[in-house]
Amino acid sequence: MTETIFPEANSPEAVFPETTASEPLSCFDPAVNGGAMLPVAESIERILSQLSWPQQNEEVALAEAVNRVLAQDQISTINVPQQTNSAMDGYAICAAALKENEQQSFKVVGQVFAGGSYPGTVSPGEAVEIMTGAPVPAGTDSIIMREMTELQGDQMTFSGPVAVGQHVRQRGEDISAGSAALSAGCLIRPQEQGLLASLGMQKVKVYRQLTVAVFSTGDEVVPQGQPLPENCIYDTNRFTLMGLLQRMGCKVIDLGIIEDNQQVMESTLSEAAGQADMVISSGGVSMGQADYIKLALQAVGEINFWRIAMRPGRPLAFGQLGSDTGTVAGKETGTDTSKTPFFGLPGNPVAVMVTFLQFVQPALRKMMGQRDWQPVRMTAVAEHTLKSRLNRIDYSRGIYRINDQGQLVVSSTGAQGSGILTSMVQANCLIEIGEPLAQVEAGQSVLIQPFGD
């Protein structure tokens, strides 16, 4: 792999850096498996260098476009607002003709509602009653709020200064005709959906929706709906992953629980790669776990097992299913390569969520076509001592809030074991303690990643 200098973890370039083409990953990376641990930032860089931006797009109805990514710039054909209009209920006047600090009296000569217009030109000393959204009449330049006026007969009076342009929305001040209202690579949230609707859009071109296949591994993992045998656990991670993927707008293929068998694993991986844009498993990626998973992955792709300098979630497998010379059987996903990215996440429930957020999410954002994405990071004040370990990033589960002094503060949820799923349920953020720190003292600043995406 070509060496590159990776930016600080909280910089915009930390998520989608410009990378050069790298050598294919393999199951055995001596630099990693020999004992050294990869930094989180370098791991993200390696992952993103293996992925391509999307090529295929489709046209969808605006009502169905939420959580999709725009495939082309959206150029406005109209001004928004279309006409200069009132931002308040009140009276339209010519403020430029006013004398400073004098009580002013105006003759009310008409009325205009939203959707209508005033037919003439208003002279100095005249006013037109106007409703919010109505076009500002010719000859006027400002709006006096109704609450600031008194009306006796057809005479309107007010006192106090008035600025030219007060409470007036100028034509095209939001979006001007011919300008790009939204750029390609923009995720369509409800607010973008509303903006597109304001342009009169009925359909938009978006990148193709991703399909992700998910399965769990381990003979100790059992499905819900049956008695729990001794020394076994109910399958948790598959449901967590499906929920995370659905929130990102992905289609999900649920492959269930795969037994500890190399042939079954190879068959499952090959089938999943033919149906999906990405395949994600949980469990079976620790260095001491069954070799059949590593051998199965090696047989159907180019997979690297890494140890990441982080907690929770140190073991991670990533690579590509398929080959350079062949094609993935049955693949009709529209990707520009025969290979399908694969993530093997740890088995512990909290570690699955943390590694998904730190590694899988940025990979999916790139594959979705979402440009300039980065995880939200904010600085908060620690309310108590937060423990960590040198030379790794610690992702503690935290609760952030605004205290009585107006400060953004954060505290941990308590016990931080990677199997304590309630620590994620109680949390509203991850507390990110960097490699150089063994702990953060109460009153010191610390980075947090609020849950939200």
Side-chain angles (χ1 to χ4, degrees):
M1 169 169 288
T2 302
E3 293 296 324
T4 57
I5 299 175
F6 200 80
E8 293 297 322
N10 61 345
S11 71
E13 294 80 14
V15 179
F16 293 159
E18 293 299 326
T19 54
T20 56
S22 60
E23 294 298 321
L25 301 176
S26 65
C27 279
F28 305 101
D29 186 341
V32 177
N33 295 329
M37 290 194 291
L38 279 175
V40 171
E42 183 181 342
S43 303
I44 296 172
E45 178 190 10
R46 289 192 180 199
I47 290 168
L48 295 178
S49 70
Q50 299 290 313
L51 304 175
S52 301
W53 294 100
Q55 302 298 320
Q56 289 197 343
N57 58 67
E58 60 185 354
E59 193 172 62
V60 300
L62 181 59
E64 301 171 357
V66 171
N67 277 337
R68 304 294 294 273
V69 178
L70 282 175
Q72 64 180 20
D73 293 347
Q74 296 298 305
I75 307 300
S76 178
T77 59
I78 62 172
N79 289 302
V80 181
Q82 188 174 11
Q83 297 173 323
T84 300
N85 67 81
S86 176
M88 294 284 180
D89 290 342
Y91 295 89
I93 66 168
C94 180
L98 290 179
K99 295 180 181 179
E100 190 173 356
N101 297 324
E102 253 185 53
Q103 187 178 42
Q104 305 290 332
S105 179
F106 291 81
K107 182 180 179 181
V108 179
V109 296
Q111 190 178 57
V112 60
F113 293 89
S117 63
Y118 184 75
T121 299
V122 180
S123 301
E126 294 180 337
V128 171
E129 186 179 8
I130 192 167
M131 308 304 165
T132 302
V136 173
T140 67
D141 57 19
S142 303
I143 308 299
I144 308 298
M145 288 191 300
R146 188 185 302 278
E147 301 93 303
M148 307 300 294
T149 66
E150 292 184 7
L151 186 65
Q152 292 184 344
D154 64 356
Q155 294 295 308
M156 182 273 292
T157 60
F158 70 94
S159 60
V162 180
V164 174
Q166 175 177 289
H167 305 313
V168 172
R169 302 179 183 128
Q170 299 297 325
R171 177 175 183 264
E173 73 174 16
D174 187 6
I175 304 168
S176 59
S179 67
L182 293 172
S183 300
C186 171
L187 179 70
I188 302 175
R189 303 169 297 171
Q191 48 267 55
E192 283 81 12
Q193 190 178 33
L195 187 148
L196 291 168
S198 75
L199 305 179
M201 304 291 295
Q202 290 182 294
K203 296 182 178 181
V204 290
K205 280 193 176 181
V206 295
Y207 289 116
R208 189 182 51 79
Q209 189 176 20
L210 296 181
T211 298
V212 182
V214 177
F215 64 89
S216 296
T217 64
D219 288 342
E220 79 283 5
V221 180
V222 298
Q224 289 71 20
Q226 68 179 48
L228 186 65
E230 189 176 358
N231 300 321
C232 290
I233 57 173
Y234 283 124
D235 186 7
T236 300
N237 297 337
R238 190 161 47 92
F239 292 92
T240 300
L241 290 170
M242 288 192 291
L244 288 164
L245 290 165
Q246 287 164 354
R247 286 194 64 180
M248 289 187 65
C250 298
K251 296 179 183 177
V252 178
I253 299 174
D254 179 11
L255 298 176
I257 303 167
I258 306 305
E259 64 179 283
D260 290 345
N261 178 286
Q262 182 177 340
Q263 286 70 38
V264 172
M265 177 64 71
E266 288 184 25
S267 175
T268 299
L269 289 170
S270 295
E271 180 183 351
Q275 297 176 335
D277 298 289
M278 178 184 288
V279 180
I280 305 175
S281 72
S282 66
V285 296
S286 294
M287 298 305 161
Q289 291 184 284
D291 286 338
Y292 80 91
I293 295 179
K294 300 177 180 66
L295 293 173
L297 289 168
Q298 187 179 23
V300 297
E302 298 163 343
I303 311 296
N304 195 347
F305 286 80
W306 294 338
R307 296 171 68 235
I308 311 295
M310 63 182 289
R311 186 185 71 125
R314 182 173 64 178
L316 179 75
F318 172 74
Q320 308 280 356
L321 302 174
S323 65
D324 288 317
T325 55
T327 58
V328 178
K331 189 153 182 108
E332 297 180 353
T333 57
T335 52
D336 60 355
T337 175
S338 62
K339 295 186 177 183
T340 302
F342 169 83
F343 280 92
L345 305 183
N348 284 317
V350 175
V352 163
M353 295 190 74
V354 172
T355 51
F356 181 96
L357 294 173
Q358 304 309 318
F359 304 112
V360 182
Q361 178 172 210
L364 286 169
R365 298 286 178 188
K366 180 173 182 178
M367 294 174 66
M368 290 166 61
Q370 189 176 349
R371 297 184 180 272
D372 302 320
W373 181 87
Q374 58 177 313
V376 175
R377 286 182 169 92
M378 300 189 296
T379 301
V381 175
E383 293 193 282
H384 56 80
T385 299
L386 301 168
K387 300 285 188 181
S388 183
R389 186 178 295 175
L390 290 173
N391 301 319
R392 74 176 185 195
I393 294 182
D394 197 305
Y395 295 99
S396 298
R397 278 69 73 200
I399 302 170
Y400 72 90
R401 62 185 182 87
I402 303 294
N403 66 11
D404 294 339
Q405 290 73 47
Q407 287 181 307
L408 184 65
V409 296
V410 67
S411 60
S412 80
T413 57
Q416 295 292 303
S418 60
I420 303 176
L421 194 53
T422 53
S423 68
M424 289 295 282
V425 174
Q426 296 164 1
N428 60 9
C429 70
L430 293 176
I431 304 171
E432 182 180 323
I433 304 175
E435 294 99 327
L437 301 175
Q439 66 181 30
V440 174
E441 303 292 347
Q444 289 185 324
S445 294
V446 66
L447 282 175
I448 63 171
Q449 292 183 22
F451 295 155
D453 284 343

mmCIF file of all heavy atoms in Angstrom, residues 404-436:
data_model
loop_
_atom_site.group_PDB
_atom_site.id
_atom_site.type_symbol
_atom_site.label_atom_id
_atom_site.label_comp_id
_atom_site.label_asym_id
_atom_site.label_seq_id
_atom_site.Cartn_x
_atom_site.Cartn_y
_atom_site.Cartn_z
ATOM 1 N N ASP A 404 -26.456 23.556 34.211
ATOM 2 C CA ASP A 404 -27.097 24.798 34.643
ATOM 3 C C ASP A 404 -26.301 26.031 34.245
ATOM 4 O O ASP A 404 -26.850 27.143 34.201
ATOM 5 C CB ASP A 404 -27.291 24.788 36.163
ATOM 6 C CG ASP A 404 -28.289 23.724 36.609
ATOM 7 O OD1 ASP A 404 -29.097 23.299 35.760
ATOM 8 O OD2 ASP A 404 -28.242 23.312 37.785
ATOM 9 N N GLN A 405 -25.010 25.866 33.978
ATOM 10 C CA GLN A 405 -24.160 26.985 33.553
ATOM 11 C C GLN A 405 -24.135 27.153 32.031
ATOM 12 O O GLN A 405 -23.421 28.004 31.502
ATOM 13 C CB GLN A 405 -22.726 26.810 34.081
ATOM 14 C CG GLN A 405 -22.575 26.974 35.595
ATOM 15 C CD GLN A 405 -23.142 25.800 36.361
ATOM 16 O OE1 GLN A 405 -22.883 24.642 36.039
ATOM 17 N NE2 GLN A 405 -23.946 26.099 37.375
ATOM 18 N N GLY A 406 -24.908 26.332 31.337
ATOM 19 C CA GLY A 406 -24.952 26.427 29.886
ATOM 20 C C GLY A 406 -23.808 25.714 29.198
ATOM 21 O O GLY A 406 -23.618 25.878 27.987
ATOM 22 N N GLN A 407 -23.037 24.901 29.922
ATOM 23 C CA GLN A 407 -21.930 24.148 29.329
ATOM 24 C C GLN A 407 -22.428 22.806 28.783
ATOM 25 O O GLN A 407 -23.346 22.196 29.338
ATOM 26 C CB GLN A 407 -20.852 23.853 30.372
ATOM 27 C CG GLN A 407 -20.010 25.031 30.806
ATOM 28 C CD GLN A 407 -18.976 24.572 31.827
ATOM 29 O OE1 GLN A 407 -19.312 23.936 32.834
ATOM 30 N NE2 GLN A 407 -17.727 24.897 31.577
ATOM 31 N N LEU A 408 -21.781 22.373 27.698
ATOM 32 C CA LEU A 408 -22.012 21.026 27.197
ATOM 33 C C LEU A 408 -21.120 20.087 27.999
ATOM 34 O O LEU A 408 -19.893 20.185 27.947
ATOM 35 C CB LEU A 408 -21.673 20.937 25.711
ATOM 36 C CG LEU A 408 -21.955 19.592 25.028
ATOM 37 C CD1 LEU A 408 -23.451 19.291 25.017
ATOM 38 C CD2 LEU A 408 -21.400 19.577 23.614
ATOM 39 N N VAL A 409 -21.720 19.190 28.778
ATOM 40 C CA VAL A 409 -20.965 18.284 29.642
ATOM 41 C C VAL A 409 -21.321 16.849 29.281
ATOM 42 O O VAL A 409 -22.347 16.573 28.644
ATOM 43 C CB VAL A 409 -21.265 18.550 31.131
ATOM 44 C CG1 VAL A 409 -20.800 19.949 31.532
ATOM 45 C CG2 VAL A 409 -22.755 18.392 31.434
ATOM 46 N N VAL A 410 -20.465 15.933 29.691
ATOM 47 C CA VAL A 410 -20.694 14.524 29.376
ATOM 48 C C VAL A 410 -20.244 13.660 30.538
ATOM 49 O O VAL A 410 -19.277 13.972 31.240
ATOM 50 C CB VAL A 410 -19.948 14.116 28.083
ATOM 51 C CG1 VAL A 410 -18.427 14.152 28.271
ATOM 52 C CG2 VAL A 410 -20.390 12.752 27.587
ATOM 53 N N SER A 411 -20.969 12.558 30.756
ATOM 54 C CA SER A 411 -20.600 11.558 31.751
ATOM 55 C C SER A 411 -20.761 10.187 31.123
ATOM 56 O O SER A 411 -21.497 10.020 30.142
ATOM 57 C CB SER A 411 -21.485 11.670 33.003
ATOM 58 O OG SER A 411 -22.846 11.479 32.662
ATOM 59 N N SER A 412 -20.064 9.197 31.667
ATOM 60 C CA SER A 412 -20.186 7.846 31.117
ATOM 61 C C SER A 412 -21.459 7.197 31.642
ATOM 62 O O SER A 412 -22.060 7.657 32.623
ATOM 63 C CB SER A 412 -18.966 7.001 31.495
ATOM 64 O OG SER A 412 -19.092 6.512 32.816
ATOM 65 N N THR A 413 -21.850 6.114 30.999
ATOM 66 C CA THR A 413 -23.057 5.400 31.423
ATOM 67 C C THR A 413 -22.758 4.390 32.521
ATOM 68 O O THR A 413 -23.659 3.657 32.939
ATOM 69 C CB THR A 413 -23.682 4.661 30.229
ATOM 70 O OG1 THR A 413 -22.711 3.764 29.674
ATOM 71 C CG2 THR A 413 -24.156 5.636 29.181
ATOM 72 N N GLY A 414 -21.509 4.336 32.985
ATOM 73 C CA GLY A 414 -21.149 3.375 34.024
ATOM 74 C C GLY A 414 -20.261 2.283 33.462
ATOM 75 O O GLY A 414 -19.309 2.552 32.725
ATOM 76 N N ALA A 415 -20.564 1.026 33.796
ATOM 77 C CA ALA A 415 -19.743 -0.101 33.345
ATOM 78 C C ALA A 415 -19.649 -0.095 31.817
ATOM 79 O O ALA A 415 -20.645 0.062 31.124
ATOM 80 C CB ALA A 415 -20.343 -1.410 33.838
ATOM 81 N N GLN A 416 -18.413 -0.280 31.301
ATOM 82 C CA GLN A 416 -18.145 -0.104 29.881
ATOM 83 C C GLN A 416 -17.744 -1.390 29.170
ATOM 84 O O GLN A 416 -17.124 -1.353 28.113
ATOM 85 C CB GLN A 416 -17.042 0.942 29.695
ATOM 86 C CG GLN A 416 -17.423 2.342 30.155
ATOM 87 C CD GLN A 416 -18.493 2.959 29.282
ATOM 88 O OE1 GLN A 416 -18.326 3.088 28.073
ATOM 89 N NE2 GLN A 416 -19.614 3.353 29.888
ATOM 90 N N GLY A 417 -18.083 -2.543 29.725
ATOM 91 C CA GLY A 417 -17.764 -3.798 29.071
ATOM 92 C C GLY A 417 -18.393 -3.897 27.689
ATOM 93 O O GLY A 417 -19.505 -3.408 27.468
ATOM 94 N N SER A 418 -17.689 -4.555 26.760
ATOM 95 C CA SER A 418 -18.168 -4.608 25.377
ATOM 96 C C SER A 418 -19.373 -5.514 25.205
ATOM 97 O O SER A 418 -19.960 -5.564 24.126
ATOM 98 C CB SER A 418 -17.041 -5.060 24.441
ATOM 99 O OG SER A 418 -16.572 -6.343 24.816
ATOM 100 N N GLY A 419 -19.749 -6.232 26.259
ATOM 101 C CA GLY A 419 -20.942 -7.054 26.187
ATOM 102 C C GLY A 419 -22.138 -6.434 26.879
ATOM 103 O O GLY A 419 -23.223 -7.020 26.887
ATOM 104 N N ILE A 420 -21.950 -5.234 27.451
ATOM 105 C CA ILE A 420 -23.031 -4.587 28.216
ATOM 106 C C ILE A 420 -23.839 -3.714 27.266
ATOM 107 O O ILE A 420 -23.559 -2.530 27.079
ATOM 108 C CB ILE A 420 -22.459 -3.769 29.396
ATOM 109 C CG1 ILE A 420 -21.624 -4.670 30.307
ATOM 110 C CG2 ILE A 420 -23.587 -3.110 30.181
ATOM 111 C CD1 ILE A 420 -20.946 -3.944 31.451
ATOM 112 N N LEU A 421 -24.861 -4.294 26.651
ATOM 113 C CA LEU A 421 -25.634 -3.588 25.645
ATOM 114 C C LEU A 421 -26.452 -2.450 26.248
ATOM 115 O O LEU A 421 -26.763 -1.468 25.564
ATOM 116 C CB LEU A 421 -26.546 -4.570 24.912
ATOM 117 C CG LEU A 421 -27.195 -4.087 23.611
ATOM 118 C CD1 LEU A 421 -26.155 -3.549 22.650
ATOM 119 C CD2 LEU A 421 -27.995 -5.210 22.975
ATOM 120 N N THR A 422 -26.800 -2.563 27.536
ATOM 121 C CA THR A 422 -27.542 -1.472 28.168
ATOM 122 C C THR A 422 -26.735 -0.178 28.193
ATOM 123 O O THR A 422 -27.312 0.910 28.261
ATOM 124 C CB THR A 422 -27.950 -1.846 29.607
ATOM 125 O OG1 THR A 422 -26.783 -2.262 30.333
ATOM 126 C CG2 THR A 422 -28.989 -2.952 29.618
ATOM 127 N N SER A 423 -25.409 -0.272 28.104
ATOM 128 C CA SER A 423 -24.596 0.947 28.077
ATOM 129 C C SER A 423 -24.849 1.741 26.801
ATOM 130 O O SER A 423 -24.721 2.969 26.797
ATOM 131 C CB SER A 423 -23.101 0.605 28.197
ATOM 132 O OG SER A 423 -22.632 -0.078 27.046
ATOM 133 N N MET A 424 -25.215 1.061 25.708
ATOM 134 C CA MET A 424 -25.564 1.758 24.470
ATOM 135 C C MET A 424 -27.003 2.271 24.528
ATOM 136 O O MET A 424 -27.316 3.334 23.992
ATOM 137 C CB MET A 424 -25.405 0.828 23.273
ATOM 138 C CG MET A 424 -23.973 0.493 22.918
ATOM 139 S SD MET A 424 -22.997 1.911 22.368
ATOM 140 C CE MET A 424 -23.556 2.108 20.682
ATOM 141 N N VAL A 425 -27.870 1.528 25.187
ATOM 142 C CA VAL A 425 -29.268 1.954 25.300
ATOM 143 C C VAL A 425 -29.368 3.241 26.105
ATOM 144 O O VAL A 425 -30.124 4.151 25.774
ATOM 145 C CB VAL A 425 -30.113 0.837 25.950
ATOM 146 C CG1 VAL A 425 -31.533 1.311 26.223
ATOM 147 C CG2 VAL A 425 -30.140 -0.399 25.059
ATOM 148 N N GLN A 426 -28.592 3.338 27.176
ATOM 149 C CA GLN A 426 -28.633 4.513 28.041
ATOM 150 C C GLN A 426 -27.913 5.709 27.432
ATOM 151 O O GLN A 426 -28.192 6.853 27.799
ATOM 152 C CB GLN A 426 -27.990 4.179 29.390
ATOM 153 C CG GLN A 426 -28.742 3.116 30.175
ATOM 154 C CD GLN A 426 -27.903 2.526 31.300
ATOM 155 O OE1 GLN A 426 -26.756 2.919 31.514
ATOM 156 N NE2 GLN A 426 -28.487 1.578 32.028
ATOM 157 N N ALA A 427 -27.009 5.466 26.501
ATOM 158 C CA ALA A 427 -26.145 6.526 25.981
ATOM 159 C C ALA A 427 -26.824 7.327 24.884
ATOM 160 O O ALA A 427 -27.736 6.851 24.218
ATOM 161 C CB ALA A 427 -24.847 5.924 25.447
ATOM 162 N N ASN A 428 -26.340 8.571 24.705
ATOM 163 C CA ASN A 428 -26.725 9.358 23.520
ATOM 164 C C ASN A 428 -25.497 9.816 22.742
ATOM 165 O O ASN A 428 -25.607 10.628 21.833
ATOM 166 C CB ASN A 428 -27.599 10.554 23.911
ATOM 167 C CG ASN A 428 -26.918 11.517 24.862
ATOM 168 O OD1 ASN A 428 -25.715 11.414 25.130
ATOM 169 N ND2 ASN A 428 -27.678 12.466 25.395
ATOM 170 N N CYS A 429 -24.320 9.269 23.104
ATOM 171 C CA CYS A 429 -23.090 9.612 22.377
ATOM 172 C C CYS A 429 -22.009 8.599 22.695
ATOM 173 O O CYS A 429 -22.128 7.803 23.640
ATOM 174 C CB CYS A 429 -22.607 11.021 22.747
ATOM 175 S SG CYS A 429 -21.952 11.159 24.434
ATOM 176 N N LEU A 430 -20.944 8.625 21.900
ATOM 177 C CA LEU A 430 -19.690 7.958 22.235
ATOM 178 C C LEU A 430 -18.705 9.009 22.704
ATOM 179 O O LEU A 430 -18.626 10.094 22.129
ATOM 180 C CB LEU A 430 -19.119 7.227 21.017
ATOM 181 C CG LEU A 430 -19.904 6.030 20.488
ATOM 182 C CD1 LEU A 430 -19.236 5.485 19.225
ATOM 183 C CD2 LEU A 430 -20.020 4.937 21.543
ATOM 184 N N ILE A 431 -17.975 8.691 23.750
ATOM 185 C CA ILE A 431 -16.907 9.567 24.239
ATOM 186 C C ILE A 431 -15.608 9.063 23.642
ATOM 187 O O ILE A 431 -15.223 7.917 23.864
ATOM 188 C CB ILE A 431 -16.828 9.565 25.771
ATOM 189 C CG1 ILE A 431 -18.182 9.947 26.386
ATOM 190 C CG2 ILE A 431 -15.727 10.511 26.246
ATOM 191 C CD1 ILE A 431 -18.248 9.753 27.889
ATOM 192 N N GLU A 432 -14.939 9.898 22.863
ATOM 193 C CA GLU A 432 -13.747 9.485 22.119
ATOM 194 C C GLU A 432 -12.489 9.991 22.833
ATOM 195 O O GLU A 432 -12.160 11.172 22.783
ATOM 196 C CB GLU A 432 -13.811 10.045 20.703
ATOM 197 C CG GLU A 432 -12.657 9.649 19.808
ATOM 198 C CD GLU A 432 -12.800 10.238 18.415
ATOM 199 O OE1 GLU A 432 -13.929 10.321 17.899
ATOM 200 O OE2 GLU A 432 -11.759 10.621 17.845
ATOM 201 N N ILE A 433 -11.793 9.075 23.488
ATOM 202 C CA ILE A 433 -10.564 9.426 24.204
ATOM 203 C C ILE A 433 -9.387 8.967 23.353
ATOM 204 O O ILE A 433 -9.241 7.783 23.071
ATOM 205 C CB ILE A 433 -10.518 8.771 25.599
ATOM 206 C CG1 ILE A 433 -11.775 9.162 26.395
ATOM 207 C CG2 ILE A 433 -9.261 9.184 26.345
ATOM 208 C CD1 ILE A 433 -11.896 8.468 27.737
ATOM 209 N N GLY A 434 -8.551 9.905 22.924
ATOM 210 C CA GLY A 434 -7.503 9.635 21.949
ATOM 211 C C GLY A 434 -6.338 8.831 22.478
ATOM 212 O O GLY A 434 -6.175 8.623 23.681
ATOM 213 N N GLU A 435 -5.477 8.397 21.515
ATOM 214 C CA GLU A 435 -4.341 7.520 21.827
ATOM 215 C C GLU A 435 -3.385 8.063 22.890
ATOM 216 O O GLU A 435 -2.868 7.294 23.693
ATOM 217 C CB GLU A 435 -3.545 7.212 20.554
ATOM 218 C CG GLU A 435 -4.291 6.401 19.515
ATOM 219 C CD GLU A 435 -4.865 7.261 18.420
ATOM 220 O OE1 GLU A 435 -5.243 8.406 18.730
ATOM 221 O OE2 GLU A 435 -4.951 6.798 17.264
ATOM 222 N N PRO A 436 -3.108 9.380 22.925
ATOM 223 C CA PRO A 436 -2.084 9.851 23.873
ATOM 224 C C PRO A 436 -2.553 9.896 25.324
ATOM 225 O O PRO A 436 -1.768 10.223 26.212
ATOM 226 C CB PRO A 436 -1.781 11.276 23.375
ATOM 227 C CG PRO A 436 -2.430 11.415 22.048
ATOM 228 C CD PRO A 436 -3.578 10.475 22.062
#
